[in-house]
């Protein structure tokens, strides 16, 4: 049997709910999820590493990641841009997640534009699914993707959190 990955887990309080983060021992984020959606985080980790492929060990502020996320929520928006991430997923999913990190803080793009940026302009639905499967909420900013008509659509943490995150990044206009 393969050895399970040992990950470090922490929880932070934010203005819009508690957030769990999971990091590896190299200081790379593996998962970030709202605590009221912890089942989705564990499902994602099982998909990436196998049912018994990972163990979580509680740790305070692993590699400074918790402090950086707190700084983001306190208004130092670029704090999350410096964080290292590592995920499983297909090559297509990874390309979508990498492209999400190129969307500037305070900006939004449509799913269609995201598909174009990934180099798959006709794969809007597949891009939408990959966006929804993003295991690193907030840091890999899936909340910055909106509907073609400008509507706030599809955020795993809930539309109200998406609205708050976008307002936070656009200067507090809530």
């Amino acid at each position: 049997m393969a050895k399970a990955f040992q990950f470090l887990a922490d929880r932070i309080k934010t203005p819009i709910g508690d957030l769990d983060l999971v990091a590896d021992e190299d200081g790379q984020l593996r998962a970030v999820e709202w605590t009221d959606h912890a089942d989705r985080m564990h499902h994602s980790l099982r998909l990436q590493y196998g049912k018994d492929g990972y163990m979580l060990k509680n740790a305070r502020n692993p590699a400074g990641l918790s402090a950086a996320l707190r700084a983001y929520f306190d208004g130092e928006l670029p704090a999350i841009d410096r964080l290292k991430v590592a995920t499983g997923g297909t090559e297509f999913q990874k390309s979508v997640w990498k492209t999400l990190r190129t969307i500037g803080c305070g900006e939004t793009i449509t799913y269609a534009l995201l598909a174009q940026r990934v180099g798959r302009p006709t794969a809007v639905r597949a891009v939408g699914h990959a966006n929804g499967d993003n295991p690193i909420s907030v840091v890999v900013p899936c909340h910055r993707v909106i509907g073609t008509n400008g509507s706030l659509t599809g955020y795993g943490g809930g539309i109200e959190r998406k609205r708050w995150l976008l307002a936070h990044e656009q200067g507090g206009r809530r």
Side-chain angles (χ1 to χ4, degrees):
M1 185 167 130
K3 183 179 175 189
F5 288 94
Q6 181 159 318
F7 294 134
L8 307 172
D10 196 11
R11 177 171 289 175
I12 66 167
K13 293 192 177 305
T14 80
I16 52 176
D18 291 354
L19 199 59
D20 284 335
L21 64 99
V22 175
D24 61 28
E25 293 182 347
D26 293 327
Q28 300 175 108
L29 281 171
R30 296 295 181 136
V32 174
E33 187 59 78
W34 303 102
T35 57
D36 54 337
H37 296 284
D39 55 333
R40 184 172 53 226
M41 181 182 73
H42 289 287
H43 176 75
S44 176
L45 289 169
R46 283 191 301 274
L47 284 175
Q48 291 181 63
Y49 307 107
K51 180 181 173 225
D52 298 315
Y54 71 96
M55 294 179 3
L56 298 180
K57 175 184 172 187
N58 288 332
R60 292 192 80 181
N61 194 27
L65 297 168
S66 303
L69 278 162
R70 278 190 201 96
Y72 165 83
F73 282 100
D74 288 342
E76 187 188 327
L77 301 175
I80 62 172
D81 296 337
R82 299 184 293 268
L83 302 182
K84 293 186 263 175
V85 300
T87 63
T90 67
E91 290 307 311
F92 177 73
Q93 287 173 319
K94 289 179 192 179
S95 73
V96 171
W97 301 334
K98 182 178 180 181
T99 303
L100 287 170
R101 291 201 82 188
T102 68
I103 304 168
C105 186
E107 296 177 22
T108 58
I109 67 169
T110 64
Y111 290 95
L113 183 54
L114 180 58
Q116 288 175 7
R117 288 186 182 180
V118 171
R120 304 276 302 274
T122 61
V124 176
R125 283 185 176 207
V127 163
H129 284 293
N131 188 58
D133 289 339
N134 169 23
I136 304 177
S137 180
V138 181
V139 176
V140 176
C142 53
H143 62 275
R144 296 178 187 161
V145 184
I146 60 173
T148 301
N149 64 359
S151 63
L152 301 185
T153 60
Y155 181 64
I159 294 298
E160 287 308 311
R161 282 188 177 129
K162 182 172 187 161
R163 182 176 286 111
W164 190 96
L165 290 166
L166 291 173
H168 179 61
E169 293 179 353
Q170 294 168 351
R173 296 182 305 276
R174 289 187 184 76

